[in-house]
Amino acid sequence: MESRAKHGFDGTQGAVNQGKSDLGRKPRSVSVHDIVLRLVALATTLVAAVVIGVAKQTKTVSIQLSPTGPSMPVPVVAKTAYSSAFVYFLVANVIACVYSAISLAISTAKRASRSNLPLLFSIVDIAMVALLFSGNGAAMTFGLLGAHGNSHLQWKKVCNVFEKFCFDVAVAGIVSMLGSLAYVLLVLLAIVSLHKRSP
Amino acid sequence: MESRAKHGFDGTQGAVNQGKSDLGRKPRSVSVHDIVLRLVALATTLVAAVVIGVAKQTKTVSIQLSPTGPSMPVPVVAKTAYSSAFVYFLVANVIACVYSAISLAISTAKRASRSNLPLLFSIVDIAMVALLFSGNGAAMTFGLLGAHGNSHLQWKKVCNVFEKFCFDVAVAGIVSMLGSLAYVLLVLLAIVSLHKRSP
């Protein structure tokens, strides 16, 4: 027989089953918070990875090849592969997305209820926080440079040319930030839940 | 009377005091791991903040003002304030450094032993992980652009001119990464400790 503890948050560890214990521990069911947050993480990292993965824009700009010569139309391309920061951001979101899917599948199957898997989930959740936030920091820095440039280093802004590409990067960054916050909440709720359960 | 639990890691929550309880919970002493990791975090974020904060290099380069005119020596400066990524990195490390000092002082004074402060520490520790990793990602992206440039966007590398400044940035980045990992370990050990203590 299972009954959920009513007294607070349940992170990865989930609510406490008050019933019989098989392995000397009270078995734990997976909480609704856990499922919802992993779903949010899955959806946001998937959207962020897809948006940044397919982001590409080609524009034709006029370039004067010599000071006295005529200007010529030249196609210029912006794509994710041209920036190691965006590639890192993409890889980080793909890893987080795959892990979100795996942990969500296991959580919903309740296979973690009588094992050390909740602990393992929390450990990987922290790694996801570190991975996603470093990816967000990297992508945001490159995106801001694209939007504003850096006059001190004579790095010119490019978002006045590649508006659509920059918009895609901004969308991916915001969506990925939501996924990152979902993982922060997963770790937070796991700690709060464990803290309430500890004697 | 206090005795430390021998059976594993102690994160923020520390080892379990087996003695009498004042508030319905067993009071907890602060573990050695906790003190050491907060010391490491304090030292590394302090060093990173100071190194990036004072990093500045002035070089004289020859610039030809017109195609036919003579080249003139012009002093050029590299400093942290010229990059919003480095400023964010600096602010992140200062915040983490101040928090490390405060949490270390409270931990060593053992004022957290019979309160919810260990839980509060864990919550802020997670925030530090997010803050520091996003700062590292930002600074690393700007640093790599300085070292290699981006040929697609015609952003030229500058580390061939500002070797010392780029070296300082690399040192600050590596040291800050150690501080970030210290906070990851603090959160991890808190969860492992709580997991072992939970029924």
Side-chain angles (χ1 to χ4, degrees), chain A residues 37-106:
Chain A
L37 284 171
R38 288 188 194 283
L39 261 175
V40 169
L42 172 62
T44 51
T45 53
L46 179 65
V47 169
V50 169
V51 169
I52 199 82
V54 302
K56 186 178 177 182
Q57 188 178 7
T58 304
K59 288 266 287 217
T60 302
V61 296
S62 293
I63 293 179
Q64 205 166 9
L65 296 175
S66 66
T68 54
S71 60
M72 288 181 64
V74 176
V76 287
V77 180
K79 60 180 180 179
T80 301
Y82 287 172
S83 158
S84 54
F86 291 156
V87 171
Y88 178 66
F89 174 84
L90 170 63
V91 171
N93 276 277
V94 167
I95 291 172
C97 181
V98 170
Y99 167 67
S100 300
I102 293 170
S103 61
L104 183 65
I106 295 175

Side-chain angles (χ1 to χ4, degrees), chain A residues 94-132:
Chain A
V94 167
I95 291 172
C97 181
V98 170
Y99 167 67
S100 300
I102 293 170
S103 61
L104 183 65
I106 295 175
S107 293
T108 48
K110 295 190 182 181
R111 289 171 60 184
S113 58
R114 289 187 188 86
S115 67
N116 276 328
L117 271 173
L119 175 62
L120 183 64
F121 280 172
S122 286
I123 291 170
V124 187
D125 289 349
I126 298 166
M128 291 301 116
V129 171
L131 182 71
L132 286 172

Side-chain angles (χ1 to χ4, degrees), chain B:
Chain B
M1 186 180 128
E2 286 186 4
S3 67
R4 284 179 186 274
K6 291 179 181 175
H7 58 282
F9 296 107
D10 298 297
T12 308
Q13 309 306 328
V16 184
N17 286 336
Q18 304 295 336
K20 63 186 177 183
S21 171
D22 289 353
L23 297 170
R25 282 178 180 270
K26 291 177 183 172
R28 298 160 194 167
S29 67
V30 178
S31 73
V32 176
H33 304 100
D34 194 273
I35 301 288
V36 170
L37 285 171
R38 288 188 194 282
L39 261 175
V40 169
L42 172 63
T44 51
T45 53
L46 179 65
V47 168
V50 169
V51 169
I52 199 80
V54 303
K56 186 179 177 182
Q57 187 178 6
T58 304
K59 289 264 287 215
T60 303
V61 296
S62 293
I63 293 179
Q64 206 166 9
L65 296 176
S66 67
T68 54
S71 60
M72 288 182 65
V74 176
V76 287
V77 180
K79 60 180 180 180
T80 301
Y82 286 173
S83 158
S84 54
F86 291 157
V87 171
Y88 178 66
F89 175 84
L90 170 63
V91 170
N93 276 278
V94 167
I95 291 172
C97 182
V98 170
Y99 166 67
S100 300
I102 292 170
S103 61
L104 183 65
I106 296 174
S107 294
T108 48
K110 296 189 181 182
R111 290 171 60 185
S113 57
R114 289 188 186 86
S115 67
N116 276 328
L117 270 173
L119 174 63
L120 183 65
F121 279 171
S122 287
I123 291 169
V124 187
D125 288 350
I126 297 165
M128 291 300 114
V129 171
L131 182 71
L132 286 172
F133 271 93
S134 62
N136 290 338
M140 208 170 290
T141 297
F142 205 97
L144 285 173
L145 276 172
H148 303 291
N150 188 301
S151 59
H152 304 288
L153 303 177
Q154 298 183 346
W155 292 347
K156 291 180 182 169
K157 65 180 177 183
V158 290
C159 285
N160 52 336
V161 178
F162 299 109
E163 304 95 340
K164 184 188 164 294
F165 182 81
C166 289
F167 179 76
D168 288 348
V169 168
V171 168
I174 292 168
V175 174
S176 176
M177 186 58 79
L178 292 177
S180 314
L181 293 175
Y183 272 111
V184 168
L185 278 177
L186 276 166
V187 178
L188 269 180
L189 296 181
I191 287 182
V192 171
S193 173
L194 281 168
H195 188 80
K196 288 190 172 180
R197 290 158 45 86
S198 68

Side-chain angles (χ1 to χ4, degrees), chain A residues 35 60 89 107 113 133 135 155 164 166 188:
Chain A
I35 301 288
T60 302
F89 174 84
S107 293
S113 58
F133 271 94
W155 293 347
K164 185 188 163 296
C166 289
L188 270 180

